[in-house]
Amino acid sequence: MTKTLEKAKTSQDVHHNFIGGEWVKSESGKTFKSLSPANNEIVVGQFADSNAADVKKAVDAAEKAFPEWKKTPAPERAEILFKAAHLLEERKEEIARNMTIEMGKVFKEAKGDVQEAIDMAKYAAGEGRRMWGQTVPSELRNKFAMSIRQPMGVVGVITPWNFPVAIPSWKMLPALVSGNTIVFKPAPETPFVAMQFVQILQEAGLPKGVVNFVTGGGPEVGMPIVEDPRVRAISITGSSVTGRKVAGRCGELMKKISCELGGKNAICLMDDGDVDLAIDGALWGGFGTSGQRCTATSRVIVHKKQYQNFIDGFLARAKALKIGDGLDTTVDVGPVVSKKQLEMINGYVKVGKDEKAKLLLGGEIMTEGDLAKGCFHQPTIFGECNAKMRIAQEEIFGPVVAVIPVDSFQEAIEVANGTEYGLSLSMYTRDVNRAFSAIEEFESGIVYINAPTIGAEIQLPFGGIKQTGNGHREAGITGIEQFTEWKSVYVDYSGTLQRAQIDNYGG
Ligand code: NAD
């Protein structure tokens, strides 16, 4: 039975790791607390502060479960995912509520987070009856050539807190349908809803040891997963700093690694673009999830002819946003995830001021009344930014938007492309030629036309270029790539030795 948050809140439950189908205490017996960002006095639960010994046990269990899971036909594995989709649908409201309490995003967005997992469960389950390989003609007679996909084995999944159910689902569900077993480490900020996701997979019928869940810190739990020689592939979403450490270690160990990392996404509003639509987009993209999306619109690049109109409308609308506890359905912007994140965001406000960007709105940590108990930051807008300023270059991951005026379409493209990241870029224009030029010229994994930088759907590949990623894509038809090995198979039924490249070419 899924543990409810109400129970956890009142009894201060200690939640354990899930290893080999059992909920087990950590080796150290130590725990850490997950706090609600809307009110740090609310303890969501206490979780195992695990270490390398727990990881070893989890990998043991995953290794043991692998041969049988691999042999289970993919359509049969998929049935469990369909069941998980139905369970997620049944419990969508409950999990979303818990997510709002634990992570802070407003209830409507938390429901969207769970919906993404439902969509992914159905999509990945469909893969159970595809899992396509290739059959191609051989250059030789009486010879058959084909390729098949095979699971990697034990895979490690390391996730951030900002999409605490959706991101684990993007990784784990394709990995499972492909026949892998998993050691999953969620972010320390959001272990409760991650645990609920694991419980749903368990209830859906996953055999023991197929998914193992170990909570704790990055260096203490994440790195031992990376370094265990039995773990064949790692999929991580997090900051570029973390991604570089993990990818570096995986490089040394010759391990397959997919990284989904930071972003510095931008909306470009051209002189012919719909200013009201762009304001809607900048509000949703900039302040949705309190700016804590990898695809958040943290820059708006505006043609000078539209600059004042845009600023006037954007400020008026942003001033009207209601900040507060995301469980209140009249609230537009919830807290940020932690005090640490709050300080980091506010530190960037100081950077912006020092850089002489024009602070047009917000800029403060909110301390009125009950807000002081939580992690609330005012929606913040800087105007007249220069594209090279740190606030226009570095990922802030909070409700802070830098508006950058430009003179032309070409300058907008150059500014949009002028950061180390390459996740999501957007162009507001009514000119079809400009729209297609932007699609071609933007250096990013995702492009939107006349829509903000957020809003990806699970049936297309998701990921970025440059410092955002290392060339892999989650979701869509690419979602199972990270978790499968290609095997090329030649069947020669000629009864003679046939030499490729030689026998047909006079060799
Ligand atoms: P983070 O890098 O601090 O942590 C991510 C995960 O990695 C956590 O589980 C953490 O415990 C673990 N970790 C940290 N150090 C580690 C180490 N040395 N070895 C192994 N594991 C380690 O990121 P975060 O603060 O949780 O999430 C925010 C970041 O995630 C932002 O930079 C955001 O852009 C990025 N993100 C990217 C995408 C994407 O798809 N591109 C999506 C969501 C979030």
Side-chain angles (χ1 to χ4, degrees):
M1 183 64 194
T2 314
K3 296 173 192 173
T4 69
L5 188 50
E6 272 61 37
K7 184 165 173 281
K9 256 163 65 184
T10 52
S11 66
Q12 298 266 309
D13 273 357
V14 177
H15 304 286
H16 302 305
N17 291 328
F18 185 64
I19 296 178
E22 310 289 334
W23 294 92
V24 293
K25 282 189 182 166
S26 67
E27 288 284 316
S28 70
K30 287 190 199 155
T31 58
F32 67 94
K33 288 178 181 167
S34 168
L35 305 179
S36 173
N39 179 348
N40 274 184
E41 289 171 7
I42 295 176
V43 178
V44 175
Q46 299 193 50
F47 292 85
D49 197 0
S50 312
N51 59 31
D54 302 296
V55 170
K56 183 183 173 305
K57 278 170 36 182
V59 181
D60 290 345
E63 189 183 31
K64 190 167 164 218
F66 177 64
E68 192 49 43
W69 185 241
K70 179 186 171 186
K71 266 194 234 144
T72 307
E76 200 178 315
R77 297 194 292 253
E79 289 303 323
I80 298 175
L81 269 54
F82 278 123
K83 180 89 190 299
H86 296 315
L87 291 172
L88 284 165
E89 277 169 337
E90 274 170 31
R91 304 208 192 130
K92 180 173 168 180
E93 297 255 329
E94 176 213 332
I95 298 170
R97 206 182 125 75
N98 292 341
M99 189 184 299
T100 298
I101 295 170
E102 188 175 47
M103 182 270 164
K105 65 173 73 175
V106 298
F107 186 50
K108 191 170 45 182
E109 292 181 27
K111 283 194 283 188
D113 193 309
V114 182
Q115 185 59 45
E116 249 182 86
I118 295 167
D119 297 344
M120 182 52 91
K122 292 177 180 171
Y123 187 86
E127 207 53 51
R129 289 189 184 270
R130 287 187 292 266
M131 206 70 64
W132 280 313
Q134 302 137 329
T135 52
V136 292
S138 166
E139 67 182 46
L140 293 161
R141 286 176 173 72
N142 298 324
K143 189 176 171 193
F144 196 89
M146 64 181 168
S147 66
I148 57 171
R149 287 174 187 275
Q150 294 208 297
M152 301 288 303
V154 180
V155 299
V157 167
I158 303 174
T159 57
W161 44 263
N162 66 333
F163 280 87
V165 171
I167 291 178
S169 82
W170 298 351
K171 298 177 187 302
M172 287 164 63
L173 301 174
L176 287 172
V177 80
S178 308
N180 302 278
T181 56
I182 295 174
V183 179
F184 167 37
K185 189 205 97 61
E189 293 83 354
T190 51
F192 190 93
V193 279
M195 177 183 72
Q196 284 206 299
F197 181 58
V198 169
Q199 286 168 335
I200 279 182
L201 293 175
Q202 178 195 11
E203 283 175 46
L206 272 190
K208 288 180 178 184
V210 171
V211 166
N212 304 277
F213 168 78
V214 185
T215 53
E220 298 79 10
V221 176
M223 201 43 97
I225 297 175
V226 170
E227 291 182 334
D228 191 305
R230 297 167 297 167
V231 175
R232 303 287 295 275
I234 296 288
S235 178
I236 183 167
T237 297
S239 64
S240 295
V241 173
T242 301
R244 273 192 288 271
K245 280 185 205 156
V246 170
R249 198 68 190 107
C250 285
E252 285 163 7
L253 298 167
M254 292 291 282
K255 233 171 237 203
K256 196 170 180 184
I257 161 85
S258 86
C259 293
E260 294 295 341
L261 309 173
K264 191 68 186 174
N265 317 289
I267 280 178
C268 301
L269 168 61
M270 289 301 92
D271 45 349
D272 66 325
D274 181 333
V275 71
D276 294 325
L277 192 63
I279 290 167
D280 284 340
L283 281 167
W284 175 227
F287 303 124
T289 323
S290 307
Q292 303 168 112
R293 290 183 181 225
C294 51
T295 51
T297 306
S298 57
R299 299 179 294 158
V300 184
I301 299 163
V302 188
H303 194 286
K304 280 182 184 155
K305 284 189 186 152
Q306 299 250 49
Y307 184 77
Q308 204 50 51
N309 271 348
F310 174 81
I311 289 286
D312 292 346
F314 190 36
L315 280 182
R317 296 276 304 280
K319 270 181 200 160
L321 292 172
K322 186 171 170 190
I323 324 300
D325 185 337
L327 287 179
D328 174 346
T329 50
T330 64
V331 159
D332 301 297
V333 182
V336 299
V337 76
S338 64
K339 291 277 182 207
K340 186 173 147 225
Q341 198 71 11
L342 188 64
E343 294 299 334
M344 196 272 295
I345 293 162
N346 200 247
Y348 268 108
V349 173
K350 293 192 181 73
V351 168
K353 286 180 187 166
D354 289 347
E355 290 179 311
K356 305 277 183 277
K358 195 165 175 186
L359 180 63
L360 300 174
L361 184 72
E364 302 289 335
I365 291 174
M366 300 175 80
T367 53
E368 310 90 70
D370 278 351
L371 295 184
K373 293 181 186 165
C375 313
F376 292 93
H377 199 283
Q378 290 176 330
T380 299
I381 300 173
F382 279 105
E384 291 169 34
C385 295
N386 174 312
K388 298 287 176 226
M389 288 175 175
R390 280 183 63 198
I391 57 163
Q393 287 287 324
E394 296 175 21
E395 185 181 51
I396 300 176
F397 224 57
V400 181
V401 177
V403 187
I404 307 166
V406 291
D407 282 309
S408 66
F409 173 78
Q410 208 47 48
E411 190 186 351
I413 296 280
E414 279 162 26
V415 171
N417 289 343
T419 75
E420 63 177 6
Y421 297 109
L423 184 52
S424 180
L425 294 171
S426 138
M427 176 61 70
Y428 282 74
T429 178
R430 292 184 173 98
D431 179 337
V432 69
N433 296 352
R434 279 180 169 175
F436 275 88
S437 297
I439 291 169
E440 205 169 291
E441 290 186 41
F442 274 154
E443 293 172 0
S444 60
I446 305 168
V447 170
Y448 290 92
I449 302 296
N450 295 328
T453 54
I454 65 179
E457 300 177 31
I458 62 95
Q459 63 275 27
L460 278 183
F462 182 94
I465 63 173
K466 303 199 284 192
Q467 294 295 308
T468 296
N470 61 340
H472 293 272
R473 293 290 184 276
E474 297 191 319
I477 55 165
T478 47
I480 59 171
E481 286 294 331
Q482 168 65 5
F483 303 108
T484 50
E485 287 284 15
W486 283 106
K487 186 176 272 180
S488 300
V489 183
Y490 301 95
V491 181
D492 191 321
Y493 53 99
S494 68
T496 56
L497 172 67
Q498 300 198 86
R499 296 171 303 174
Q501 295 92 40
I502 296 173
D503 287 342
N504 272 357
Y505 299 93

